[in-house]
Amino acid sequence: MVTNEFRKRVYEITAQIPQGKVSCYGQIAFLAGHPRAARIVGALMHTAPSGLPCHRVLYKDGSLCPGEVFGGPARQRQMLEAEGIAFLPDGRADMKKYLWRPVFEAE
């Protein structure tokens, strides 16, 4: 049930994640208006247009993406560390410190 509008919104939100911050699949799903669609957001990250900072999207506990997404977990970590993201001793990103908190202007 992935509509073009949802896909577009997910990619727009992902493009806004600033360097030095991370998001999670659930947060993006929520911001896109479908809070229970975290898995769909994950699938969309696999087919995202090049240039989007998809490497900044993690699991809610700060775990990196498994498999060869973004060149594998070691490459994803390297990319995040280059942006200043620090990792906890267990290998997860520190979500309390680096979670992106978008600010919305009042309409």
Side-chain angles (χ1 to χ4, degrees):
M1 181 225 54
V2 179
T3 65
N4 284 335
E5 185 60 35
F6 180 68
R7 176 182 287 110
K8 179 182 172 190
R9 185 72 183 124
V10 165
Y11 294 155
E12 287 172 349
I13 293 165
T14 302
Q16 295 175 39
I17 305 168
Q19 184 172 333
K21 293 293 181 182
V22 295
S23 187
C24 64
Y25 303 108
Q27 180 186 35
I28 292 174
F30 177 82
L31 293 171
H34 294 278
R36 299 181 57 87
R39 287 185 182 203
I40 295 171
V41 170
L44 290 172
M45 293 297 109
H46 291 278
T47 60
S50 66
L52 281 181
C54 297
H55 66 284
R56 297 179 186 147
V57 183
L58 313 174
Y59 289 104
K60 67 181 175 183
D61 70 352
S63 297
L64 300 175
C65 300
E68 291 304 311
V69 180
F70 314 117
R75 177 68 181 128
Q76 184 181 16
R77 180 177 175 141
Q78 182 182 43
M79 293 168 72
L80 292 170
E81 286 177 330
E83 295 183 2
I85 303 295
F87 286 79
L88 301 169
D90 65 3
R92 295 177 298 123
D94 186 345
M95 296 300 277
K96 288 182 182 177
K97 185 172 183 179
Y98 298 105
L99 181 66
W100 173 52
R101 301 186 192 288
V103 177
F104 299 100
E105 296 181 21
E107 294 185 24

